[in-house]
Amino acid sequence: MKFLNDEISESIGFKEIWQSIEPISELGIRAKKRFIPYLPKQEQELKAELEKLGILIKIIKNNDSKIHKIKNLLSNVKNIYGIINQSRTKKTILDDVDIFEVKKIIIQSNEIKEIIQKLKLNNFFENTFKEFPELLSFLSLGQNNSESFYLSDQYDKELALIRKKRQKLEKELIAEKNNLTSEIEKKCNRHFSLDNEISVSKNDQDVIEYLKKSDEVSLMSENFAVLTFKLIETEKISELKSKITEVKKEEEIKKKLVRKKITNEIQKYSLSLLENLDNIAYLDFMIARAEFSIEISAVKPKITSEKLIKIKNGRHLVIENELNKKGAEFTPIDLELKSGSTLITGPNMGGKTVSLKLTALLTVMAQHSLFVPADYFEFNLRNYIYFSLTSDDIKSGLSNFGTEISNLKYVVAAGDDKGLILIDEIAHGTNPAEGYAIAYGIIEKLDTMNSISAITTHYQRLANKLEITHFQVKGLDKDLLAKYHNHIREKGIDILNKCMDYRLERVTSKRDFPQDAIRIAGLLGFDQEILETAKNIMNNDSTGGIENNG
Amino acid sequence: MNLLRQIQGKKLKSVSIIGMAKNTGKTVTLNHLLKLAELSEQSAALTTIGLDGEDKDKVMDNPKPNILLLENTIIANAKNLLLESDLNFEILAATGIESPLGEIIIARNKERGFIKLSGPSSKNDLKLIKKEFLKYNPDLILIDGALDRRSFSSPALTDATILATGAAVANNISSIVNKISYQIELFKIKKSRDQKITEIISEISQDVKVLIIDKDYQNKSVDLKTILNNMEEVINHIDKDTRAVYFNGALVNDMINTLINKCAFINQFEIVVNDATHIFISPMLFNRFSAKKGNIRVRDEINLLGITINPFSPNGNYLNPLKLLRRISDAVAPIPCYEIVLNKKSSAKGVEDIEIFK
């Protein structure tokens, strides 16, 4: 099974979290896109990675100005993998802008390296940052500006000669033209256009007279208001022009050869250049992760070889944000799951689903080499994360059940492959009697398998019948109930929500579950007679397993 | 006097050239300024605003005129145009700004020669380019734009503006003169006299499309995708306490029409737009609006340096150039008008030669 599919990623809130990690540079963004989560075999690598992240977080927290410098540098770094790889094909010739980009990345990575050394982060990188002094000076031949690039004469003696030849011809051409035009231009107080034309209004008769007499220009056109004269191209001018065209062709051919030479030179260093790009990308992505961890007050996950997931005061960031917007607070959750099945029960709106999502989210975050929002998080790497989507997007009873079963088919088949299997309201989409039976079967099977599974249910009886770990939502808090008692009938559900204790507690003795549904109905002022009947049934009926199924 | 001396006289650093329509001789004006700069040994940096949202073919179909670059001119140009030129360039920066003709590159040319130029197509990008230019400290920065809703011009980003116009804008001399003088009237629109309004508008986010400012300078933005089809929504937010309404975008006929017809308070508040190049209202409607005591203001005023006039129109019409120059000049006095091809300038002193040498 795939580690995490898109639907699950979105529904557990990871997609949103991942989106808020924003590397600065094109390279960092690329690294993020290509990131693959760590799997159980890479436990040691992930440990090392989280260790590095922790070091970086400390540095950033100390508000080291060097980090600001690095970020500034990163913001100008471009993704030039394409250019470097082009140089490696040996088929294409890099153009001047490409060569400029290569030179620039060398300068940038040298600056980054210098800061990395000062921060003593050298051992963060798989390959050390290279400096390329020879290549840099080669790309700076004959340049007056250290950061720009120009295909200067120094790259090739012949190029220099050709250019000298052209410049000489151009000078001659300009001199020849000036020779012809400067007197005319001064006399007429105007200059020739780019097409070597002069247009004169018929009002300027003296200028017209002068130009008509001149041997250097000829009348080209005339209308009711204007006469246009054109410079006569002398033999010398046309000769110079054609010579210049020839030399320019020669220059272009030569320039191409020089670019080829430079491309080959870059190619020699291409592997190390690519490694430097990888380093920069890695650094940028790691800074983004570190800053995110700081922002959400996250802790370093502890990796254990025991098959368990242990959360202390875990916060689901996405849900926390939504609650905060409404002015409410998220109640941090404690939970410990072990290999096999764990059952979570509790009243509606009691946060059962949230605890499943939280478990999935923290595990996924950790395997994406992120710190997690909790006071403590210990976990064992998983090969895949499964979260049933059924209660989130109920369509119709049958198709809902059908979808759930066909999904679970694969999950159970992969159940021995170190997964994290989270099933919300198991088998609730079908009739309660059969639903209970199927749920029983699934849970019992998963309990024997090599995955960590957590299942929420309204089938309270599952907990009594199965020999598995059982957590329940604490439910209505007695003290708070007493406090708000008088307001509940007037303000209803809102106040009731405030009285809910969303924390989970381990249930050890059987038949110890709160009959919150009946209590809630009572608090909301429901018919006393009905409630009495319900209570009696709850106390007497020990078969059927169809409790407060909602 | 010539355009460059006007620029130097006022110690201006950056100038935008705005074409009032196609074929108004923008490139002639640009080349003229570059020639003047060469004669007075001034270094220049220039770019031209590219068309936005056009695909590559369309841009290619629309051949760009050649511009004569002097040695050591700094340009911002699309990579494809830069590389297809046979001039030698020093690459100074690759901006990361994309255009249909490739990334916009800042380069310095090593020798005099012709090039086709196409630069950024958004205001923010242009701001970035201008910042890049300033690093190399040129004497003069030239930005070439158009008075066109598909493209934009940037008077606010430059110290002064030259308007390129001419026979292309209408069919006969009187309509041409009317159109130009109306455009100049718009260019003269001032900032709000109420400094606080300008301050508020200058500080708000560029994402705000419409902002309503009330008598206590409390302001609220109206959240709209487009203003055009939602003027009623805007009007609903206007009441007797409204002091100003800011539109971040083009002000067009339909908007003013709806205001005149449906808003009871139009004589009580100011409409503020970014600058006069965002106003696309017919003269008739503008007059109707003014008659109702409607008030339009700008955030950034335009410092109009001069007008260049091209007597050719693309349909083959050629108007008497000096007559056209005189008529326009009379209508827009005291703004100097130039006929560059004939080397004429018209001002209060009458028509005279442009001083090129001296």
Side-chain angles (χ1 to χ4, degrees), chain A residues 360-394:
Chain A
L361 181 63
L362 298 195
T363 309
V364 172
M365 282 177 79
Q367 289 190 238
H368 278 76
S369 172
L370 293 168
F371 279 20
V372 295
D375 287 350
Y376 179 81
F377 180 65
E378 187 178 349
F379 83 114
N380 176 261
L381 273 77
R382 303 281 97 198
N383 271 324
Y384 66 90
I385 311 289
Y386 174 76
F387 174 73
S388 68
L389 298 156
T390 44
S391 69
D392 262 6
D393 48 6
I394 292 171

Side-chain angles (χ1 to χ4, degrees), chain A residues 27 64 127 244 260 384:
Chain A
L27 290 176
D64 197 315
N127 304 291
I244 289 172
K260 177 79 192 154
Y384 66 90

